[in-house]
Amino acid sequence: MAQLAQDELQSIKDLQQKYNQTVFELGSIEAQIIALNQRLKNLANDKDGLVADLISIEKKENELIASLQDKYGQGTIDPQTGIITPIQ
């Protein structure tokens, strides 16, 4: 019966080891991609929430401006002092 030479057998073992290591690294990368995609989804959800907050704030700001204009007339407000300068 024929038998492989020691260097031939070692070459096979080296290739198997490299193959297994490559498969392991691919699995590791795939796990990182899954985690990254989940993080991207979370960030997108956070962004959507902040955009909704921004829209709500702008709506409240517009309502407040309309209310103040009804009460004080057209003008500009200095937010530091509260002084209203009427528009001439």
Side-chain angles (χ1 to χ4, degrees):
M1 165 167 43
Q3 186 171 352
L4 296 176
Q6 190 62 32
D7 63 328
E8 293 169 329
L9 183 58
Q10 188 61 46
S11 292
I12 291 172
K13 288 179 181 180
D14 289 346
L15 286 174
Q16 286 176 331
Q17 181 180 3
K18 287 178 183 179
Y19 178 87
N20 289 338
Q21 181 65 30
T22 301
V23 169
F24 174 80
E25 289 175 9
L26 282 171
S28 177
I29 288 171
E30 186 62 29
Q32 291 176 43
I33 289 170
I34 290 168
L36 180 59
N37 284 334
Q38 185 59 50
R39 180 70 178 130
L40 286 171
K41 286 179 187 176
N42 291 343
L43 287 171
N45 289 338
D46 291 348
K47 177 186 171 188
D48 290 345
L50 290 170
V51 168
D53 289 348
L54 185 60
I55 290 168
S56 176
I57 291 167
E58 288 174 345
K59 180 181 176 188
K60 289 177 183 178
E61 180 184 40
N62 289 334
E63 290 169 354
L64 178 60
I65 289 170
S67 171
L68 293 173
Q69 286 176 344
D70 287 345
K71 185 172 183 178
Y72 297 104
Q74 296 283 330
T76 58
I77 299 171
D78 181 338
Q80 300 300 318
T81 64
I83 294 174
I84 301 168
T85 306
I87 295 177
Q88 304 296 346

